[in-house]
Amino acid sequence: MLKHPLAVALCAALAVSALPAFAQTRGTANAAPAASAQVPADNPLFVESTLDLRYPRFDLIQDAHFGPAFDAGMAENLREVEAIANNPEAPTFENTIIAMEKSGEVLSRARTIFSSLNGTDTNDARKKIDADYAPKFAVHRDAIMLNPKLFARIDTLYKNVDSLGLDAEGKRLVERYHTMFVRAGANLTEAQKNEMRRINAESAKLGTTFSQNVLNEVNDSAVVVDTVEELDGMSEAQIAAAANEAKSRGLDGKYVITLLNTTGQPPLPQINNRELRERIHKASVARGSRGNQFDNTGVIAQILKLRAERANLMGYPNQATFILEDSTAGTVQAVNDMLGQLAPAAVANAKLEAAELQAMIDREQAAKGEPTFQLEPWDWAYYSEKVRQDKYSFDDAQLKPYFEMKNVLENGVFFAATKLYGITFKERTDLPKYHPDTWTYEVKNEDGSDLAIFIFDPYARGSKRGGAWMNSYVSQSELDGTLTVTANHQNIPKPQAGQPTLLTWDEVTTMFHEFGHSLHGMFSDVKYPFFSGTSVPRDFVEFPSQVNEMWADWPEILANYAKHYQTGAAMPAELLEKVQAAAKFNQGFATTEYLGSAMLDQYLHQLPADQLPDADEVMATEAAALKAAGLDYAPVPPRYRTPYFSHINGGYAAGYYAYIWSEVLDANTVQWIEQNGGLTRANGDRFRSTLLSRGGSKDAKQLFVDFTGHEPKIEPLLIKRGLAPDPKDAAQ
């Protein structure tokens, strides 16, 4: 199946997890939580929503509600935890673990909604709340995780877990609670715990600063263009959007090209003006290291050192060893071996692709009677599009009229889910919205019972963080009696009023990908909130969403949604054939830019504390990391450079490899599905029952084996990425 080469890398993060409130923190400074707090009676965060499936009261929630709800929620949560820790009765599963699962209701609700709104539509008030409360949340979490009486109860249950009469899910819950507390420092001495508190507080404060700097830099680094002639190659709609952006900034008569938080930028394949392409690229890669008020080099240097300190405090040589111990990969060596196996082949392929691009440049320049020039990073997307047109006789502009956004969602993404799982969708216009550019749907099981509510938030805006992601406002659990309220977010440029939203193929496959995350949340069928939905290891969470991409060009699905937005005509078969023929085109570039970031992440987090860079050494250390990995190939810079590498600040520290690790599982699973009938209810029901519904209630790798019947193999990934020959090609 044809897939966007790195749609998976657009998932900036899966917002707040389904873990208990105290386990959701990013951490930060040393302000103590309020001992008690009162919430106004009209604060909607303090009570459970009465809307369907506890859908949030976006119509009532105001920014002023968050602070009081946080204060009261932390105070309430601490009272609950103290009651558990000081319970005179002997610890039991019910009076300790289940009591913890039920704790922190107000705090969890308020933090989940705030985190989601702050990511998708922030403002000055929310930025201030984020900065003010990150330290308090860190202190709050440590007050619980480092509570010796509480841990003693959990430890007792853990040591006697086999005699508690629990089923498999209950036993795993005890084990995971114990692991979570130990990895938070529960076994440390009191002096070491104080050091841990300091590290967590400082880390959280810096993490908030890093995230806000990234968003501010994206907005501050937009490229101003003086004349329309410089925009030659862009569509009329894109030029109009650039003019409107300039007008909104008080630059009437000029044009502004906004940036996304990736190294490559969407307009580069189209812009004929090489000087402008260079300006855009250089503006993109300079973000966070310009020496201005949003410079992140000093911030990330401090974050890395604090992480190394924490790992050392926990008895590990570096952050990567600490993180990977609790992943499906298990060890630094396993990750290094896998990435190391991919890197040489990826770079070799990228160099072959570069030779084709250079040949195209040479021919064009010779035809114009002008001297040739060396391929640079800002030329890659432009000339690869030309080579693709030359080799396969199509470009994205031919595809876009067949991919109107809402039609792709309803007649593509939803249609595939209905065919596979029997679920149905109905738009709800009666539920409140947090932003007008969103759509809301109720989701039903085949028997008509409620399954979930789904929010779709597609458009880019200055108040929204970059990338694409899923989050849950409400997570399923039998204990709480809840079903899922989930949302998908993308950063698709919004067209002018009255114009259709036409998608690139990458945006189409990203839509399928993100909905795979939402299916993981919707189909959750677990007892305990701790295990709900996407509460799985980082190197497993991308796997189900990558599998869902396979349906984007599955013939029956594609035929249902790939229709011309004006005429309704189906996409011509020959155009689809060209798209499929080009599936492995430019995979050397795609894999190399991804591996550049993945191996940079590992390099930074495998360094000993005394070798970590200071602020003025960060960019040189990045260069050294790429060289050490054999990825210092100038025409293909990493997808994210260190100062705007949001993943490693937002939960993927030493974990960005997870996308390619998950893709190994994905490639194996797609192969299994194709060999077992493809788009069938039997396959959908099997995937739902053995894997999607289980959340984190079972070992992640075992879930994969339960579905496929075998251990993961790397060969399907190498074939998919064009890094190894496809036996099917040889047979033809």
Side-chain angles (χ1 to χ4, degrees):
M1 288 290 98
L2 174 62
K3 295 193 179 186
H4 166 32
L6 267 176
V8 294
L10 295 174
C11 281
L14 299 171
V16 176
S17 75
L19 297 183
F22 62 83
Q24 294 177 2
T25 9
R26 272 188 320 207
T28 21
N30 51 3
S36 63
Q38 296 297 318
V39 174
D42 62 350
N43 190 322
L45 297 170
F46 201 55
V47 295
E48 185 179 286
S49 171
T50 57
L51 298 178
D52 291 355
L53 307 194
R54 307 185 193 181
Y55 182 92
R57 294 302 307 256
F58 296 125
D59 55 333
L60 302 180
I61 296 169
Q62 300 173 16
D63 290 342
H65 291 139
F66 288 112
F70 290 159
D71 291 337
M74 284 189 283
E76 172 194 68
N77 194 198
L78 285 180
R79 287 193 297 270
E80 293 168 333
V81 168
E82 284 299 316
I84 297 167
N86 295 311
N87 189 338
E89 298 179 5
T92 65
F93 182 69
E94 287 291 332
N95 71 19
T96 301
I97 302 297
I98 296 302
M100 289 294 291
E101 283 287 87
K102 292 181 176 179
S103 70
E105 179 186 345
V106 172
L107 180 59
S108 181
R109 180 187 306 117
R111 292 200 59 206
T112 297
I113 294 173
F114 176 78
S115 175
S116 300
L117 294 182
N118 192 42
T120 192
D121 191 25
T122 196
N123 55 37
D124 289 342
R126 291 174 186 172
K127 289 176 183 177
K128 186 176 188 308
I129 293 168
D130 194 23
D132 288 348
Y133 276 89
K136 298 178 183 182
F137 291 149
V139 173
H140 177 74
R141 184 177 191 272
D142 284 342
I144 297 171
M145 304 301 288
L146 302 180
N147 183 316
K149 291 182 179 179
L150 179 60
F151 178 64
R153 296 178 70 87
I154 294 169
D155 193 46
T156 297
L157 294 173
Y158 173 74
K159 290 173 178 175
N160 296 282
V161 70
D162 290 330
S163 64
L164 300 178
L166 301 174
D167 61 12
E169 189 174 342
K171 183 177 178 181
R172 181 169 171 80
L173 185 63
V174 174
E175 292 168 345
R176 292 307 300 167
Y177 257 84
H178 188 267
T179 297
M180 180 174 66
F181 271 75
V182 168
R183 288 176 62 79
N187 273 330
L188 298 177
T189 66
E190 193 55 38
Q192 290 172 324
K193 287 180 181 179
N194 286 334
E195 187 66 7
M196 180 66 79
R197 292 182 180 101
R198 177 191 66 81
I199 291 169
N200 288 343
E202 292 180 18
S203 295
K205 185 176 182 180
L206 290 165
T208 300
T209 301
F210 184 97
S211 297
Q212 293 188 356
N213 282 347
V214 167
L215 180 59
N216 288 332
E217 270 285 72
V218 165
N219 292 325
D220 194 58
S221 298
V223 176
V224 180
V225 180
D226 292 330
T227 66
V228 71
E229 288 76 18
E230 295 172 83
L231 302 179
D232 182 48
M234 293 176 65
S235 68
E236 290 184 10
Q238 288 173 312
I239 292 171
N244 281 346
E245 180 65 28
K247 188 174 182 180
S248 72
R249 297 176 179 229
L251 299 170
D252 292 45
K254 296 185 184 293
Y255 305 85
V256 169
I257 296 176
T258 56
L259 303 182
L260 297 182
N261 193 39
T262 49
T263 294
Q265 297 298 325
L268 291 179
Q270 300 169 262
I271 295 173
N272 293 321
N273 186 312
R274 188 171 187 244
E275 181 181 346
L276 178 57
R277 295 201 306 269
E278 181 178 359
R279 285 180 59 205
I280 293 170
H281 173 80
K282 289 185 173 178
S284 179
V285 298
R287 283 174 292 132
S289 59
R290 298 189 292 154
N292 63 353
Q293 69 269 39
F294 308 131
D295 193 298
N296 257 339
T297 53
V299 178
I300 193 64
Q302 293 178 72
I303 289 172
L304 290 170
K305 288 175 181 177
L306 288 167
R307 288 174 181 167
E309 283 185 52
R310 180 165 47 207
N312 293 165
L313 192 61
M314 293 295 297
Y316 296 84
N318 51 54
Q319 172 78 354
T321 304
F322 173 64
I323 291 295
L324 295 175
E325 180 186 66
D326 198 39
S327 68
T328 58
T331 66
V332 164
Q333 191 63 49
V335 172
N336 288 348
D337 286 348
M338 190 265 288
L339 296 178
Q341 184 175 352
L342 294 171
V347 174
N349 271 20
K351 289 181 177 179
L352 291 174
E353 293 165 3
E356 285 191 282
L357 304 189
Q358 189 64 56
M360 171 71 77
I361 293 170
D362 294 344
R363 288 195 302 272
E364 280 199 354
Q365 293 302 103
K368 291 190 291 187
E370 298 177 3
T372 192
F373 52 83
Q374 192 67 32
L375 175 72
E376 296 284 357
W378 50 88
D379 299 315
W380 192 290
Y382 181 76
Y383 283 98
S384 65
E385 187 61 28
K386 284 178 172 285
V387 169
R388 181 167 69 168
Q389 290 179 38
D390 188 53
K391 292 180 79 169
Y392 304 105
S393 302
F394 87 95
D395 60 26
D396 250 346
Q398 292 173 268
L399 297 177
K400 290 179 74 171
Y402 297 95
F403 298 145
E404 190 278 322
M405 183 180 71
K406 200 171 182 189
N407 186 56
V408 172
L409 177 69
E410 295 182 346
N411 293 311
V413 175
F414 291 171
F415 179 72
T418 299
K419 296 292 289 186
L420 271 172
Y421 308 110
I423 60 177
T424 56
F425 302 82
K426 179 183 177 183
E427 186 171 358
R428 292 284 298 270
T429 57
D430 58 315
L431 294 171
K433 298 183 177 188
Y434 61 82
H435 193 281
D437 290 340
T438 60
W439 288 262
T440 306
Y441 297 84
E442 66 178 24
V443 190
K444 302 279 190 181
N445 285 303
E446 189 172 30
D447 64 4
S449 60
D450 289 332
L451 177 65
I453 292 176
F454 172 72
I455 301 168
F456 182 57
D457 181 355
Y459 293 126
R461 48 185 173 264
S463 59
K464 190 178 190 179
R465 66 180 173 88
W469 71 97
M470 163 268 197
N471 67 270
S472 290
Y473 286 95
V474 182
S475 297
Q476 178 275 333
S477 85
E478 184 180 315
L479 184 68
D480 291 340
T482 51
L483 295 174
T484 302
V485 177
T486 182
N488 282 173
H489 310 272
Q490 289 183 236
N491 268 277
I492 298 165
K494 186 179 180 181
Q496 298 302 296
Q499 296 298 309
T501 304
L502 304 180
L503 307 183
T504 65
W505 180 247
D506 288 357
E507 289 164 344
V508 170
T509 51
T510 297
M511 192 182 293
F512 276 85
H513 175 96
E514 294 306 328
F515 194 70
H517 284 307
S518 281
L519 287 172
H520 201 178
M522 291 178 189
F523 288 149
S524 177
D525 187 14
V526 298
K527 292 182 184 178
Y528 308 114
F530 195 102
F531 294 137
S532 185
T534 56
S535 298
V536 296
R538 283 290 183 188
D539 54 3
F540 188 83
V541 74
E542 297 298 333
F543 156 51
S545 53
Q546 289 169 340
V547 171
N548 203 58
E549 291 179 50
M550 74 178 290
W551 307 115
D553 70 333
W554 194 265
E556 183 179 352
I557 305 302
L558 192 75
N560 200 62
Y561 76 86
K563 297 178 180 178
H564 199 282
Y565 78 99
Q566 290 174 313
T567 67
M571 177 187 287
E574 59 270 22
L575 183 56
L576 174 60
E577 289 169 5
K578 291 174 182 177
V579 174
Q580 291 174 320
K584 294 174 185 174
F585 176 72
N586 215 34
Q587 279 291 298
F589 171 88
T591 309
T592 299
E593 72 155 3
Y594 165 76
L595 289 174
S597 292
M599 297 183 89
L600 170 61
D601 171 35
Q602 286 302 314
Y603 185 94
L604 292 172
H605 290 107
Q606 289 179 27
L607 284 175
D610 61 358
Q611 294 180 29
L612 286 166
D614 293 327
D616 59 356
E617 300 170 323
V618 165
M619 303 316 294
T621 301
E622 176 181 292
L626 296 173
K627 184 175 179 63
L631 292 163
D632 54 335
Y633 182 47
V636 187
R639 183 174 180 83
Y640 299 97
R641 300 192 74 192
T642 309
Y644 53 87
F645 199 172
S646 291
H647 290 75
I648 64 172
N649 181 59
Y652 281 82
Y656 191 64
Y657 78 93
Y659 291 100
I660 202 85
W661 189 276
S662 293
E663 200 174 347
V664 172
L665 307 180
D666 157 49
N668 279 257
T669 301
V670 167
Q671 184 182 75
W672 188 97
I673 291 172
E674 290 176 336
Q675 292 171 350
N676 287 272
L679 184 69
T680 68
R681 276 296 305 279
N683 285 341
D685 290 346
R686 177 184 173 92
F687 199 48
R688 176 177 179 172
S689 63
T690 62
L691 196 146
L692 294 178
S693 66
R694 302 305 302 275
S697 66
K698 193 172 183 179
D699 175 75
K701 187 176 178 182
Q702 187 59 49
L703 292 176
F704 167 84
V705 174
D706 290 347
F707 179 78
T708 62
H710 62 75
E711 294 287 318
K713 308 166 188 174
I714 199 170
E715 289 76 19
L717 172 67
L718 297 176
I719 293 168
K720 191 192 88 170
R721 287 267 175 172
L723 304 179
D726 190 339
K728 289 187 292 188
D729 295 339
Q732 292 175 353

